[in-house]
Amino acid sequence: MSIGTNTIRVDGCAKLTGAAMYVDDLTLPGMLHGATIRTPIARGRIKKIHFDPAINWSEFVVVDHRDIPGGNAVALIERDQPALVASEFRHKHEAVLLIANASVHKLRDAVRAIRLEVEPLPAILDARATARPEQIQHGADNVLKRLTIHKGDPGAVFASAPHVIEGTYHTGAQEHVYLETQGMLAHRENGRMVVRGSMQCPYYVLDSLTHAFGWPREAFSVVQAAVGGGFGGKEDYPSNIAIHAALLAEKAGAPVKLVYDRQEDMAATTKRHPSWVRHRTAVDKDGRLLAMEIEVMLDGGAYVTLSPVVLSRGCIHSSGPYFCEHIHIHGEARLTNSMPYGAFRGFGAPQTIFAMERHMDVIGSRIGVDPVELRRRNFLRDGQTMATGQIYRDGTDLVALMDRTLREADYHAKRKSHASFNATHPYLRRGIGIASFHHGSGFTGGGETKLASEVWVEGMPDGSVEVQTAQTDMGQGTSTILAQVAADALEMSPGGVLVATPDTARVPNSGPTVASRTAMVVGKLTHRAAEDLSKQLGGVRGPSITGAIRAWHAANPGKNLVGRAKYEKPATIVWNDATYQGDAYASYSWATYVAEVEVDLRTYATRVTDFVAAQEVGRVLNPTLARGQVQGGVVQGIGWAIYEDVVLEDGAMKNCQMTNYIIPASADLPPIRVFFEETPSPYGPGGAKGIGEMPIDGPAPAVVNAISAAVGMSIDAIPVTPERLMERLDGAHG
Amino acid sequence: MQVHRPATLDEALQLMQRPDARPQPIAGGTDLLVSWHHRAKESVRLMDMSRLEELRTLRLTNESLEIGALATYWDVITSAEISETFPLLAQAAKQVGAMQIQTRGTWAGNIGNGSPAADGVPVLMAYDATVTLASSRGRRDVALCDYWTGYKKSVKADDELIVGIRVPRRACDFEWFHKVGARAAQAITKVGVAMVHSADGWRVTANSVAPFVCRCRAMEAALDRGEVFQGPDDVRQVISRDVSPIDDLRSTAAYRLAVLSRLVFFRMSGHL
């Protein structure tokens, strides 16, 4: 059995020794370097482009929108975002021109020698503001997506409820800060345009190239280079860079590499959606949730990109892991003239879970019920329904999971000791906070059915087994767990299974590497494809499979031995996209996290001093990798909660440097103690569920609940930077 | 890019004499590297100081500590004798960036770059350091507290090089330094303060709260008078006359003044 073991990561050695080739390490004979000329303001129209005559422009390849052979759009959910600005533009740092040269020095001089003359148009920079007619850029009202989830009859309950408690909670934008910045290398090879680079979703890139060039899919090969982190930031934006690199390469007739430096990457690429979530909740005297009204607003930025689905996941998770009979959720994602907000680990859920879990503490303190008790009384129990009417039948005991976290964190004893510490210390204040939450695995609603993912497991002529998927390993361990899953099905050692580098010319479309779907959905397909391979060999498994594969090839020269599996919707999963009713996700993972903090009232700085993360994620495929995923997500969540502040100016990130956009360093972090409960899920290989995103859902509310406890005041917006905490505390003191 | 590699100080000072082709001196390179990606033009002229062995000195005598222009933070951190004699120098050095910066960055470069956030400067200034400037015209010593005249402006002439720093030895009965960064390591100072007390009286210096690292003379005078502070606001009343913090990408003026006052208050109320 290779599932559940700490198989050493298959990409580990190459990354450790520096042998792994990231896109910026790649070079080709005659290769040019590309650069991007961008819009200077939030909204406007290009009037003229000035090329400084001091530069010999004949030495440069210059591409503009007229060089796009197909549709001038980055095709995603909609086609509203131009690949290159033709005239009007909607945010600062949109790509207008591309230039290339063999010398990076000449290229830099040339970038400085191009000036865009623009005519400003009225921009809208605040998603909460009502757009004036001249600011409308999408539909009738700039709303990119709105949706409603309705259960029961909340209106009637509010009228007679013992308590009605309201609160509004805000979360800020967040930058991904993957270690490797984005980039692509495009060149012609054997009649195809080969685009190689840093990405999460090779088939998304292929679709966007196909649209922009108007060429058939076979004209391209999209290949993953080693990827240094993604976190959602490489879900949609790599399509833009791929189109740009390919346009330059096509016009130059030479390979072109387009790699962003950190500043350009932070300035131009997507961020986590800022949110404002308003809760109005009816509770009885014991704190039972009687009715909930939730309004979710996301700032979507300048184009639709992925906002509709981010909003969808956010709304579905907005009522937490609790049972409530009467729920009304309304969500809107609105256009602003900011860089498009895009996918980021958690995909809308961290925003709404922050609001829900802060609101639970607010309810508790308002009606005098302990926050732990309040959660205990309201957790979903088997047979109860969630906001979309989905019946909870997971088998996970949420109360027991919370109690485990509290025990490991020594929660009750610490609360007592903090009270006496805070009463006597001149300037330090300690607090402990809790957050309980869930995260759906895989695409929302009917998404997986639409994706119709496919996986192949091939027996190669030399007797080896290769897993072929479009899943990218960006450091999270995808290749390793898929090798483990295939090895498990074939009863061989994971070392005997190769995992193909995603290349759209040779791997099937198993869907994007997003949405905590790889382990559960693609893992299950991998298991089935491996079983199919074994079936084609007459059911052979174990060490003798190598010989059986070789024998098959000897008997069938020139043919391919491929086990296949295609996604089939489980019959028990029913979703209605029109009414937003039904099984929003096949499976959910569940968690309770506890954070302990110390606030220094000299500097208003918060330090997280201890962290316990207990979760139920189905079967854990690889404990070491799973623990790494949780610890990494917790760090990113702590960063979002108290350090990371995207400063916007004219709708663009102003602090686009790592010295001024603060992510926590290891010296800032507490021990992060990770615990797993395992309730096997029928939908994943060996019972696995999703794990990648959930760890970022809980830290922010747990940390801010702890800060609120420490300073004795409700803190409702993140990031809680020292400057903001000072304003909040001093403002309240008068 | 053009790089000069003078073998002697005289040669370096000759190169600095040419007004039309004056090179940018580079020692540790930690500041130049940060700005490298944002350089205004591709052609730059550098003067590599690394062959100037005579500037590598780090010597503790009975009278003073002499820090050559090429001495790094790490040189101070790893010297037990200096760390003991001037504890604030070692404390500040350990909070500069991280080990990679500490092993390359120089004390003189920290002064030369002129950042108001310079981490090495408040502690040098609190210890009454002087800067030695050299040119082909000769040498002179300037008190560090009189070195700057404005944001990134100093009394150093264009043809002068910082060749060393001298810190006088004296008995101190109070030495304290506190850096507030946005995180525990790899952070640029948002507010920093150093305080020293000796027979010469109080020295209070602060960084990131004025166009240059400065002495807080009103605060020093109040402490010398033996003034007692009842709360952070009392400290603020005095120290706000010494500093002029601004809002920028890293923090706010209000935060900087409040935190400077609170740090000093809580430290002094613990001490006195």
Side-chain angles (χ1 to χ4, degrees):
Chain A
M1 285 298 281
S2 59
I3 284 182
T5 65
N6 286 318
T7 301
I8 290 174
R9 39 189 316 162
V10 300
D11 56 325
C13 194
K15 284 173 179 168
L16 198 63
T17 57
M21 298 293 271
Y22 296 85
V23 61
D24 203 28
D25 300 321
L26 302 173
T27 190
L28 288 169
M31 186 181 80
L32 309 181
H33 297 274
T36 311
I37 312 295
R38 301 179 179 281
T39 52
I41 57 171
R43 189 181 174 211
R45 198 174 280 129
I46 310 274
K47 287 183 71 181
K48 200 162 188 276
I49 301 174
H50 298 271
F51 291 85
D52 187 336
I55 301 274
N56 179 5
W57 293 103
S58 69
E59 291 178 357
F60 291 83
V61 182
V62 181
V63 161
D64 69 17
H65 67 98
R66 292 166 300 182
D67 295 299
I68 298 172
N72 183 7
V74 183
L76 197 57
I77 292 175
E78 292 194 20
R79 293 170 177 176
D80 58 333
Q81 182 179 195
L84 289 171
V85 171
S87 169
E88 270 193 46
F89 56 89
R90 284 195 201 160
H91 70 93
K92 190 171 175 175
H93 303 314
E94 267 195 86
V96 181
L97 281 184
L98 307 165
I99 61 174
N101 193 282
S103 156
V104 288
H105 298 290
K106 282 189 177 179
L107 192 64
R108 290 182 63 106
D109 276 333
V111 168
R112 294 185 192 103
I114 296 173
R115 189 171 60 81
L116 300 183
E117 193 181 323
V118 299
E119 174 196 349
L121 291 169
I124 183 160
L125 300 173
D126 183 354
R128 290 163 300 170
T130 307
R132 299 192 308 269
E134 65 273 21
Q135 292 171 317
I136 302 288
Q137 295 150 69
H138 184 95
D141 52 7
N142 277 348
V143 175
L144 302 171
K145 170 78 178 178
R146 58 163 58 84
L147 65 85
T148 300
I149 300 171
H150 203 78
K151 179 188 179 191
D153 183 10
V157 180
F158 277 104
S160 61
H163 302 283
V164 175
I165 290 149
E166 295 187 36
T168 300
Y169 308 91
H170 169 62
T171 64
Q174 187 181 21
E175 157 61 30
H176 306 82
V177 205
Y178 24 67
L179 279 181
E180 181 214 16
T181 57
Q182 302 218 24
M184 291 283 173
L185 167 60
H187 70 110
R188 282 212 159 272
E189 188 181 298
N190 301 328
R192 281 181 199 261
M193 178 63 77
V194 180
V195 181
R196 194 183 299 268
S198 192
M199 68 186 88
Q200 289 179 235
C201 314
Y203 275 90
Y204 282 7
V205 172
L206 178 64
D207 287 343
S208 68
L209 284 166
T210 306
H211 179 76
F213 281 79
W215 299 348
R217 295 175 76 132
E218 299 69 41
F220 300 94
S221 164
V222 177
V223 188
Q224 185 209 347
V227 176
F231 311 113
K234 293 172 184 172
E235 175 168 354
D236 50 339
Y237 204 85
S239 295
N240 301 45
I241 309 178
I243 293 170
H244 296 164
L247 286 169
L248 280 169
E250 181 66 6
K251 188 156 182 178
V256 175
K257 185 161 78 177
L258 189 51
V259 177
Y260 289 0
D261 68 15
R262 180 65 64 182
Q263 191 166 10
E264 183 173 26
D265 191 295
M266 282 188 164
T269 69
T270 61
K271 311 275 170 275
R272 181 187 299 287
H273 291 70
S275 77
W276 296 265
V277 180
R278 198 176 77 83
H279 276 265
R280 184 163 168 261
T281 312
V283 296
D284 71 11
K285 63 178 184 5
D286 300 322
R288 277 190 191 79
L289 301 170
L290 302 177
M292 306 169 80
E293 262 180 21
I294 306 170
E295 284 171 26
V296 178
M297 188 190 293
L298 300 181
D299 183 343
Y303 295 103
V304 174
T305 64
L306 294 160
S307 292
V309 272
V310 172
L311 180 70
S312 170
R313 185 178 281 266
C315 287
I316 289 168
H317 286 79
S318 68
S319 54
Y322 307 111
F323 173 69
C324 178
E325 213 162 328
H326 305 280
I327 302 179
H328 183 84
I329 302 165
H330 178 79
E332 285 186 12
R334 292 194 186 168
L335 177 143
T336 61
N337 293 103
S338 292
M339 85 301 273
Y341 294 100
F344 195 138
R345 192 179 205 171
F347 212 70
Q351 289 95 317
T352 58
I353 287 167
F354 173 76
M356 183 68 221
E357 284 304 286
R358 273 298 298 132
H359 193 57
M360 285 299 274
D361 270 33
V362 168
I363 293 172
S365 70
R366 214 63 74 71
I367 65 168
V369 173
D370 181 272
V372 167
E373 273 314 302
L374 186 70
R375 287 172 174 86
R376 195 187 302 280
R377 286 170 195 173
N378 286 291
F379 275 138
L380 279 163
R381 286 168 174 79
D382 262 11
Q384 291 181 327
T385 54
M386 305 169 78
T388 60
Q390 178 164 10
I391 297 168
Y392 176 68
R393 51 189 161 208
D394 188 278
T396 301
D397 183 342
L398 301 183
V399 171
L401 183 62
M402 177 176 74
D403 285 340
R404 168 112 194 249
T405 316
L406 297 175
R407 220 166 37 244
E408 300 290 355
D410 203 12
Y411 176 88
H412 292 289
K414 278 188 172 161
R415 267 182 70 172
K416 279 205 195 82
S417 74
H418 291 164
S420 54
F421 178 89
N422 292 345
T424 53
H425 198 280
Y427 52 79
L428 295 179
R429 298 289 177 268
R430 291 178 180 165
I432 192 163
I434 179 174
S436 296
F437 53 101
H438 61 320
H439 198 99
S441 309
F443 263 33
T444 304
E448 289 296 340
T449 309
K450 277 187 207 133
L451 276 176
S453 298
E454 196 171 353
V455 169
W456 300 338
V457 175
E458 185 168 355
M460 310 303 277
D462 66 357
S464 63
V465 171
E466 187 184 64
V467 176
Q468 295 162 357
T469 77
Q471 259 45 55
T472 52
D473 197 325
M474 46 202 140
Q476 83 282 45
T478 300
S479 307
T480 308
I481 59 160
L482 292 180
Q484 284 179 259
V485 167
D488 186 77
L490 299 171
E491 295 173 16
M492 54 192 289
S493 96
V497 179
L498 305 170
V499 178
T501 296
D503 172 349
T504 56
R506 74 176 290 263
V507 301
N509 185 356
S510 55
T513 311
V514 303
S516 307
R517 64 183 294 278
T518 299
M520 186 178 90
V521 179
V522 183
K524 186 78 172 179
L525 291 172
T526 301
H527 205 271
R528 281 177 42 210
E531 283 173 338
D532 184 49
L533 173 69
S534 167
K535 199 173 134 200
Q536 292 181 42
L537 293 168
V540 176
R541 289 165 202 251
S544 58
I545 199 164
T546 308
I549 293 168
R550 283 204 202 112
W552 187 94
H553 278 284
N556 300 276
K559 288 194 176 168
N560 293 334
L561 171 61
V562 183
R564 294 163 196 270
K566 197 162 181 155
Y567 181 81
E568 287 156 17
K569 185 180 79 67
T572 49
I573 302 295
V574 179
W575 174 253
N576 184 333
D577 205 47
T579 60
Y580 258 69
Q581 292 294 304
D583 301 310
Y585 302 94
S587 279
Y588 294 85
S589 296
W590 310 91
T592 292
Y593 287 2
V594 166
E596 189 185 8
V597 303
E598 187 172 275
V599 179
D600 185 337
L601 292 181
R602 294 174 305 168
T603 62
Y604 303 94
T606 301
R607 204 161 53 87
V608 181
T609 50
D610 191 22
F611 203 98
V612 174
Q615 49 258 300
E616 191 289 310
V617 294
R619 187 74 195 280
V620 174
L621 295 174
N622 184 317
T624 298
L625 289 176
R627 200 161 49 247
Q629 281 279 53
V630 173
Q631 289 177 329
V634 168
V635 171
Q636 213 162 25
I638 290 172
W640 187 45
I642 61 177
Y643 294 101
E644 301 185 34
D645 190 12
V646 174
V647 179
L648 293 175
E649 187 178 68
D650 205 17
M653 185 177 184
K654 192 182 177 195
N655 52 336
C656 45
Q657 291 162 289
M658 288 181 73
T659 49
N660 291 325
Y661 182 75
I662 306 297
I663 58 171
S666 52
D668 297 294
L669 296 166
I672 298 167
R673 295 182 281 141
V674 178
F675 303 93
F676 292 108
E677 299 282 340
E678 299 181 62
T679 310
S681 158
Y683 306 109
K689 299 194 284 196
I691 190 175
E693 295 175 284
M694 193 180 61
I696 205 172
D697 293 339
V703 166
V704 179
N705 283 341
I707 296 173
S708 298
V711 301
M713 186 180 295
S714 178
I715 308 294
D716 298 332
I718 57 168
V720 190
T721 59
E723 286 79 0
R724 297 232 176 83
L725 186 60
M726 182 184 89
E727 265 177 37
R728 181 84 177 91
L729 293 179
D730 289 0
H733 292 152
Chain B
M1 180 164 69
Q2 232 185 317
V3 182
H4 301 283
R5 303 201 66 214
T8 65
L9 182 58
D10 280 347
E11 203 185 316
L13 297 177
Q14 290 294 324
L15 286 164
M16 293 296 286
Q17 263 192 321
R18 308 178 341 195
D20 51 333
R22 188 168 286 129
Q24 163 81 54
I26 172 168
T30 55
D31 285 309
L32 274 178
L33 194 68
V34 170
S35 59
W36 185 247
H37 284 286
H38 321 299
R39 60 195 184 275
K41 51 185 202 287
E42 289 302 293
S43 59
V44 289
R45 187 187 292 271
L46 299 176
M47 181 172 77
D48 173 15
M49 311 261 290
S50 65
R51 294 169 73 198
L52 308 179
E53 286 303 322
E54 59 202 289
L55 302 187
R56 236 172 252 290
T57 41
L58 184 65
R59 190 166 44 228
L60 189 61
T61 67
N62 286 336
E63 290 76 41
S64 63
L65 171 67
E66 289 162 23
I67 303 173
L70 293 177
T72 65
Y73 302 110
W74 195 248
D75 294 335
V76 167
I77 291 168
T78 50
S79 162
E81 204 184 9
I82 297 172
S83 300
E84 201 174 303
T85 316
F86 295 102
L88 301 189
L89 295 187
Q91 276 179 39
K94 284 178 190 165
Q95 293 180 62
V96 173
M99 195 188 285
Q100 295 91 329
I101 302 288
Q102 291 158 14
T103 52
R104 287 207 63 87
T106 63
W107 296 88
N110 205 217
I111 296 171
N113 184 51
S115 164
D119 282 317
V121 176
V123 288
L124 286 172
M125 200 182 280
Y127 284 131
D128 280 345
T130 55
V131 183
T132 305
L133 301 171
S135 71
S136 302
R137 297 172 289 125
R139 283 180 177 242
R140 59 179 179 137
D141 285 343
V142 179
L144 182 54
C145 60
D146 298 328
Y147 179 79
W148 283 286
T149 57
Y151 176 71
K152 295 224 168 191
K153 285 199 173 73
S154 73
V155 299
K156 186 179 81 63
D158 287 344
D159 64 343
E160 283 181 312
L161 268 184
I162 299 172
V163 291
I165 303 160
R166 202 163 47 77
V167 192
R169 275 182 97 153
R170 56 172 72 128
C172 299
D173 57 5
F174 185 103
E175 292 162 276
W176 178 64
F177 169 69
H178 193 101
K179 166 178 172 166
V180 180
R183 64 187 150 212
Q186 300 277 24
I188 293 171
T189 298
K190 295 200 288 191
V191 189
V193 56
M195 295 176 72
V196 168
H197 185 254
S198 70
D200 290 335
W202 281 97
R203 294 291 179 274
V204 180
T205 61
N207 59 342
S208 295
V209 288
F212 45 88
V213 183
C214 65
R215 266 178 75 172
C216 301
R217 290 178 192 267
M219 194 66 211
E220 289 174 2
L223 291 169
D224 285 337
R225 281 196 306 274
E227 208 162 298
V228 176
F229 301 98
Q230 300 301 329
D233 281 349
D234 289 359
V235 174
R236 181 202 299 244
Q237 294 253 324
V238 176
I239 212 163
S240 61
R241 284 184 265 146
D242 294 319
V243 300
S244 49
I246 56 164
D247 290 345
D248 65 14
L249 259 186
R250 296 189 189 116
S251 191
T252 64
Y255 177 85
R256 290 174 156 124
L257 181 57
V259 170
L260 177 62
S261 311
R262 298 176 78 83
L263 285 171
V264 171
F265 170 75
F266 282 108
R267 184 65 187 88
M268 295 315 288
S269 59
H271 173 69
L272 295 171

